[in-house]
Structure formats: structure tokens, C-alpha cells
Amino acid sequence: MTKALIDKAKSILSGIEIGYFITSKKWTKNNYDDYYQYFSHPDYEVRKYSLLVFGAGLGNWSAKSAFIFTHRQRKDPDFDPQKIYHLKYYIKSFLDNREPIKQEFPFLYKAIIYYLNELDYEKPFEVVFPSVDEQLFISLRKVLRNSGIDEKYVYEFNFNDILREVGLPTFFKN
């Protein structure tokens, strides 16, 4: 199970070193998993790839290249209603595990915080996901506002720092 999960995540993240978190990846139903369940997994590789998938999903959304977090059916032949990336579960797991994530993956943590801030500022989460309990988004905003990254500030992170942090090869020079 661990190897299969990592292989699916690697497929989604294929080429990440040249496309950052903002390019569309292989978000097919064959690569789907509830990656949020593994943010605190005892296996480092599982934690790492699960968080990278979350970051890539947020980055794709931010770039408007893919919208994996949804709450409604889509008219897509590859869409499987049983394999939906529910943002509420990802946010809850991220909030529940934020301190260990921040300690182990500080650069990845900052990138995720940046994307969550940016997306919420662009259009508040409760507007995009009206069926989700608003309290979850209120709790998220408290963490975001205390992160030191302002939602209006363009946070320029060095993607190579994230890649080095998780032990992946870099493509571009700093």
C-alpha cells in the first residue's frame, strides 16, 4: 500500500522540478487517493509525497490550470464521484498537523500557507465551498493570519529550496 501510494503521488508530481506547483499534473482517477490521511504517517516518504500532492493541488488551482478540489459533479468521462479531493479534509488535516509539518518541511509549509492565503483572498473559501462548515475556514484564517505571510503580499519562494528540503532533484539554478 505504501509503495502504491507513493507511486501514484509520483505520477501526479511528474516533472515538478521544472513546473513548480502550478502546472497541471496527472490528476486521473487512477492516481487518486485521500492523501490528507497521510500528513502524519510514520513513513517519511508517504508524508512528503502526500504534502507535495496537496501543495501541487493548491498551486494548480492558483494558476487556474487544474481544479482538483471540488464539491460537485463534473461532466468529464474520467470523473469518478467516489474519487473527489475534498478541500475540507485537506484543510482539517493540515491544521491538525501543522506544527509537525512546519518543523519537518518549513519551505513546503510556507508554500502551502501562501497558496491557501492567496486562494482565500481571491475568493473566500466559504463562497467557493458553501456547504462546508464556515468554522473550518475561520480556524484556517487564524493560522494564515498568524503565519507572517500577508494575503496581499506576493510571497516569492525559491522552489529549489522546497525540492532540496524533500530530497528531490532541482532543475533550475537559483
Side-chain angles (χ1 to χ4, degrees), residues 11-155:
S11 184
I12 291 170
L13 299 165
S14 175
I16 193 173
E17 67 279 359
I18 59 172
Y20 301 93
F21 281 142
I22 60 173
T23 56
S24 293
K25 306 296 179 190
K26 298 176 185 173
W27 297 106
T28 65
K29 60 185 173 187
N30 295 333
N31 291 329
Y32 174 84
D33 209 307
D34 291 324
Y35 294 99
Y36 65 88
Q37 293 181 345
Y38 308 106
F39 290 177
S40 63
H41 194 276
D43 185 306
Y44 170 80
E45 293 293 305
V46 171
R47 285 192 312 278
K48 168 179 88 174
Y49 280 108
S50 296
L51 287 163
L52 285 169
V53 166
F54 181 41
L58 294 172
N60 279 217
W61 179 6
S62 171
K64 299 177 182 28
S65 61
F67 300 94
I68 67 155
F69 299 108
T70 187
H71 61 283
R72 57 182 168 231
Q73 301 283 341
R74 294 184 298 193
K75 294 178 183 177
D76 178 348
D78 197 40
F79 179 72
D80 181 341
Q82 301 302 314
K83 297 182 176 182
I84 296 175
Y85 293 87
H86 291 280
L87 183 66
K88 66 182 177 182
Y89 299 132
Y90 282 83
I91 288 175
K92 179 158 180 14
S93 184
F94 182 73
L95 291 175
D96 290 347
N97 298 289
R98 72 182 177 275
E99 289 304 323
I101 293 168
K102 185 178 180 179
Q103 288 177 8
E104 187 171 28
F105 305 107
F107 292 113
L108 179 55
Y109 176 85
K110 284 181 182 178
I112 290 170
I113 289 287
Y114 165 73
Y115 284 126
L116 288 168
N117 245 334
E118 178 186 63
L119 291 164
D120 187 47
Y121 183 73
E122 181 181 307
K123 189 169 193 179
F125 288 131
E126 58 271 18
V127 173
V128 180
F129 299 99
S131 63
V132 175
D133 182 2
E134 187 178 7
Q135 188 57 48
L136 178 65
F137 301 132
I138 291 169
S139 297
L140 174 63
R141 280 190 198 100
K142 286 180 185 175
V143 170
L144 296 177
R145 300 315 174 247
N146 291 323
S147 69
I149 299 173
D150 182 17
E151 68 272 9
K152 297 175 191 171
Y153 174 71
V154 178
Y155 172 64

